[in-house]
Amino acid sequence: MLKTFLATSILLASPLVLASQQLAIKTNNELITTDTSMAFAYNDELQQLAQVDLANNLNYMLTLPQHSLGFDTAILANKQHPQALILTTDGVYLSEKDKSVLLFKYESVLNRLDSDKFTKVNFIIDANKDGLSDILLPDIETNTLYIQDKQGKFNAHTFTKQAQFKGDFRSSRFKLDIDISIAPQVIDLNQDGLTDLVFSNKKNAQVLLANETGFAQNTSYLNFNMQLGKTPDGETLEIESLLDINNDGFVDLITKRVPDVDGMDAMSATVHRQLHMGLATGGFAQKATKLPETSMIGDIKFDEDFDNDGLMDLQLFNIDFGLGTIASMAMGGGDTEVDVEFSVHKQLPSGQFSEDPNADFEVEMPLSMSNNSSLKPLLLGDINGDNKLDAIYKSGSKTLSVYYGGGDDLLTSKRKKIKHKLPEKNHDILLLDINNDAKKDFVFKFTDEDGTSTIKTVIN
């Protein structure tokens, strides 16, 4: 029992190590995980992909088809474990150890892409929530949803969805950017018992409504009853996210107001966010809940329910970005270490959030001007089996700091430490339930200078 030893640091030593395995490919990229003990490793430059079975300490290289663009993970009707599906310039393939199998050919703007990189892309969704993966591929004026049936066959449904265009003049030339993003939110928007697809960006949102035979032929725009875009004071009002944060079945709207600043000034500028709750009659409440302010590189998340009351709690990540940080980044070639202030605010039955944080502490994390990834300074998961979220972060080359879940404060106020040699990069520390005992285990990926990677799995 982990909690027996909480009074002192906990040592994760060799007796607890389940396995150590060297990857069949060399890679500096993070592992791609699934909701199981199966993971995938890839090398974007050499265009290689490996399947990693963490439970059985096995991994092997997969066979890729020609002209591969990227991969995603999928649940197939005739397969026991998650599989790697490969998107190429002509079709979608199932990648196996000794061969790649064509699932179907397609025609879209993707046929004309030319890429020398092989990476993780998001083209897999579960559009009807039946537990089987479906495939969504974009074009300029249409999208095609390939719905998997119980026999593992993919049936195409093409619908009209206009791509988003943005253009401007640069160096006396007109540059046109086309947004063909293909990751909708799956939610029953109109409360008819069928899951719909909501496509959103900063300016608008479109919904593809489901019906008894499948999905509609066209998307329709959501009405937000507010003016998005430039405001009279020169700021920009944007959609940040659409999600159901209070589990009432109605999608809620979070907007953010962004100041018109450039360069380093943007790093320290203040962002204002508001929450508009979804209404049973449709649309969103005009009266909004004001959310905590952050810097431009700060963030707010609503993706975890810390106390299992069915309400998503507010996670706040803020960075004090001052002249010292700018100087440090300049001396470090664009990279530095920053202190991230993390706090959790419980969602109340009224839809408001606790004004004072229920838990707060500071986390140090690397920040790079060349890294556009989202802010992920810590890991959240139940590592001691009490059905409460714990917060874990790297606080040294051989130390993980832990705030265990519990009580009205959502997280304990006293920090505990776990001692173990750790990877250099934060994203190479993962939490996964390897042995299905309802406790998250640790997966560490260690990479040498030549790209040789070793996976070490540690069971709680």
Side-chain angles (χ1 to χ4, degrees), residues 41-184:
Y42 71 99
N43 186 310
D44 51 353
E45 295 183 352
L46 297 178
Q47 297 198 352
Q48 295 176 334
L49 181 66
Q51 186 162 325
V52 185
D53 185 345
L54 296 167
N56 295 301
N57 193 31
L58 297 171
N59 78 92
Y60 48 84
M61 189 183 299
L62 297 172
T63 300
L64 297 183
Q66 292 184 334
H67 311 299
S68 295
L69 298 173
F71 75 100
D72 205 349
T73 64
I75 302 297
L76 301 183
N78 50 4
K79 297 290 184 180
Q80 184 178 0
H81 302 293
Q83 303 294 312
L85 298 192
I86 313 301
L87 183 66
T88 76
T89 55
D90 70 324
V92 176
Y93 291 76
L94 167 63
S95 182
E96 298 181 331
K97 184 175 182 180
D98 300 319
K99 64 182 184 299
S100 56
V101 179
L102 176 66
L103 298 180
F104 58 83
K105 289 184 174 293
Y106 69 91
E107 292 185 6
S108 86
V109 66
L110 300 177
N111 299 130
R112 296 181 286 276
L113 293 182
D114 183 19
S115 176
D116 57 357
K117 295 279 188 179
F118 176 76
T119 187
K120 171 70 169 62
V121 292
N122 298 320
F123 60 94
I124 303 294
I125 63 172
D126 184 358
N128 49 14
K129 295 292 186 181
D130 64 352
L132 297 176
S133 296
D134 309 304
I135 297 171
L136 183 61
L137 299 181
D139 210 337
I140 300 298
E141 296 183 347
T142 62
N143 280 203
T144 301
L145 175 64
Y146 297 85
I147 302 173
Q148 184 183 178
D149 61 26
K150 294 182 179 180
Q151 288 71 46
K153 181 182 177 182
F154 289 88
N155 303 291
H157 173 75
T158 299
F159 59 94
T160 301
K161 176 184 173 293
Q162 187 72 36
Q164 301 296 315
F165 296 86
K166 178 183 178 182
D168 57 36
F169 285 96
R170 299 179 188 177
S171 302
S172 301
R173 294 184 179 183
F174 185 72
K175 180 176 180 180
L176 181 65
D177 295 322
I178 304 175
D179 177 11
I180 56 172
S181 57
I182 55 176

Side-chain angles (χ1 to χ4, degrees), residues 18-39:
L18 174 68
S20 181
Q21 57 177 312
Q22 183 174 311
L23 286 181
I25 63 174
K26 294 182 177 182
T27 177
N28 290 304
N29 297 311
E30 61 186 299
L31 287 178
I32 302 301
T33 60
T34 65
D35 291 331
T36 71
S37 60
M38 201 68 67

Side-chain angles (χ1 to χ4, degrees), residues 3-15:
K3 280 197 167 183
T4 305
F5 305 98
L6 292 187
T8 59
S9 295
I10 304 159
L11 181 64
L12 290 181
S14 54

Side-chain angles (χ1 to χ4, degrees), residues 9 11 13 47 97 100 128 132 142 182 211 220 230 235 265 284 305 321 436-437 452:
S9 295
L11 181 64
Q47 297 198 352
K97 184 175 182 180
S100 56
N128 49 14
L132 297 176
T142 62
I182 55 176
N211 53 45
S220 55
K230 287 290 185 181
E235 296 186 328
D265 290 338
F284 306 93
D305 177 7
F321 198 91
N436 295 316
D437 64 351
T452 300

Side-chain angles (χ1 to χ4, degrees), residues 412-459:
T412 57
S413 60
K414 189 173 182 180
R415 179 180 59 158
K416 307 298 179 181
K417 296 180 181 179
I418 294 176
K419 294 292 185 179
H420 194 279
K421 181 183 177 182
L422 301 173
E424 180 180 350
K425 297 179 180 178
N426 286 5
H427 68 221
D428 287 331
I429 303 173
L430 304 171
L431 287 181
L432 298 169
D433 186 2
I434 304 300
N435 56 351
N436 295 316
D437 64 351
K439 293 189 295 183
K440 297 291 186 181
D441 307 302
F442 292 94
V443 176
F444 303 126
K445 175 177 172 286
F446 297 93
T447 303
D448 298 334
E449 291 185 3
D450 66 352
T452 300
S453 293
T454 301
I455 305 297
K456 184 174 289 188
T457 305
V458 182
I459 295 294

